[in-house]
Amino acid sequence: MATYKQEAVVLRAYDLGEADRILTMITATRGLRRAVAKGVKRTKSKFGGRLEPFTHLDAVLHEGRNLDTVVQVEIIRSHEPVRADYAKFLFGEAMLEMIEKSLHEYQIIPRLFDALRVTLDVLEGDVCEPALLLAAFEFKVCSLIGYHPHLDCCLHCGRKIEGEKVCLDLAGGGIVCSRCLPGVENRQNVSDDCLSLIRCLLHEDMATISCRSEDPRICREVLTAAFRFSESFLDRPLKSRQVVMGYLERGIP
Ligand SMILES: [Zn+2]
């Protein structure tokens, strides 16, 4: 079994026995990997106490049959400001969950690692509306894994949609016009403003999105659409949806 060097971001970490820790990571070019960091909890551990979720690291790993072993680690960015801020932590956790649920072990999707790395770097700084950053992240991840939302024409009749009631067909992956709408079972209604904003988010980079200031209600609507769209394509619920939406609802008067 080979030893390899990879940049990675820790998605999840839990203790194993007295001294070890199991990490789930997304690596730069080797997809999702699980690895054990031995002796990490001892006071004199060579890793220190640094292998927490969000940590972006450069690691040397030894390949194992079921589980790799962490040989050496260098921290590139600890993302401590994300862990230290309650709201950022919630939004960040939702991003980690999105990545973990988008990939099977060893599955490699080009650009997914970079998407997370860049978004966490942005989340660490000043962000006007973290809900928009998360919504953009979810739509972009869907797009990277092969479910790009179709938002230009009606998915069913191909008609260009302008100034009318539309909905997102969650099973089909795009918008549906008012005429075709009655036939769609699994759907999410979206307002005009919400739809325009989703279109912008799909084209803008994360640094630009972090400076966007929008009405909190629209942010909430966009994020709800992003969660529902993602859940439909991942074919499983996202635990973070309830937590994040609960937090946003409490924050809006
Ligand atoms: Zn139609």
Side-chain angles (χ1 to χ4, degrees):
M1 296 274 180
T3 298
Y4 64 95
K5 197 169 186 292
Q6 277 284 295
E7 270 189 43
V9 171
V10 179
L11 303 177
R12 210 141 54 88
Y14 60 91
D15 294 340
L16 178 73
E18 292 287 295
D20 304 343
R21 212 153 153 77
I22 304 280
L23 310 176
T24 303
M25 300 179 284
I26 180 171
T27 60
T29 61
R30 288 181 172 234
L32 201 70
R33 308 288 292 209
R34 288 173 71 239
V36 59
K38 287 185 178 156
V40 74
K41 293 177 71 199
R42 292 199 188 101
T43 1
K44 283 186 180 168
S45 157
K46 59 180 172 177
F47 305 123
R50 310 168 294 189
L51 303 179
E52 297 291 332
F54 300 110
T55 307
H56 174 198
L57 41 84
D58 203 356
V60 176
L61 295 136
H62 189 71
E63 219 171 337
R65 195 156 305 182
N66 299 314
L67 208 58
D68 297 348
T69 305
V70 182
V71 179
Q72 207 181 309
V73 157
E74 210 178 290
I75 306 293
I76 296 170
R77 250 169 127 153
S78 74
H79 290 303
E80 189 50 41
V82 175
R83 276 191 297 276
D85 179 300
Y86 180 64
K88 287 187 180 194
F89 178 78
L90 290 187
F91 290 103
E93 282 256 293
M95 291 168 188
L96 301 187
E97 185 189 17
M98 184 69 194
I99 290 285
E100 196 179 355
K101 291 197 167 155
S102 300
L103 285 168
H104 306 295
E105 208 159 349
Y106 303 121
Q107 186 189 6
I108 297 162
I109 293 176
R111 294 170 52 210
L112 207 53
F113 171 80
D114 282 330
L116 178 65
R117 180 184 59 77
V118 167
T119 309
L120 289 181
D121 289 353
V122 170
L123 181 65
E124 189 175 304
D126 292 329
V127 181
C128 288
E129 293 293 349
L132 284 188
L133 199 68
L134 174 58
F137 181 77
E138 296 200 350
F139 279 123
K140 283 171 197 278
V141 168
C142 284
S143 183
L144 287 173
I145 61 178
Y147 302 115
H148 186 77
H150 297 283
L151 305 178
D152 293 329
C153 301
C154 171
L155 208 59
H156 293 222
C157 69
R159 202 158 58 81
K160 189 111 185 135
I161 296 173
E162 267 163 289
E164 63 185 272
K165 192 181 173 201
V166 294
C167 74
L168 263 180
D169 174 349
L170 296 169
I175 48 170
V176 171
C177 74
S178 52
R179 281 188 233 155
C180 301
L181 193 142
V184 182
E185 270 177 32
N186 189 12
R187 70 188 191 206
Q188 172 74 25
N189 292 331
V190 283
S191 67
D192 258 1
D193 291 344
C194 174
L195 185 58
S196 324
L197 190 49
I198 295 172
R199 285 178 178 139
C200 294
L201 297 181
L202 277 163
H203 293 108
E204 288 174 2
D205 63 36
M206 290 307 198
T208 308
I209 293 167
S210 73
C211 302
R212 266 188 176 275
S213 178
E214 304 286 342
D215 185 307
R217 283 176 180 81
I218 292 293
C219 296
R220 200 169 49 167
E221 191 188 350
V222 169
L223 186 56
T224 302
F227 270 125
R228 293 212 62 206
F229 192 85
S230 306
E231 287 181 330
S232 169
F233 284 107
L234 298 174
D235 202 21
R236 44 186 166 167
L238 289 164
K239 272 191 249 164
S240 48
R241 165 147 79 124
Q242 228 175 343
V243 181
V244 168
M245 296 316 291
Y247 170 79
L248 286 178
E249 269 153 42
R250 285 194 300 276
I252 292 171

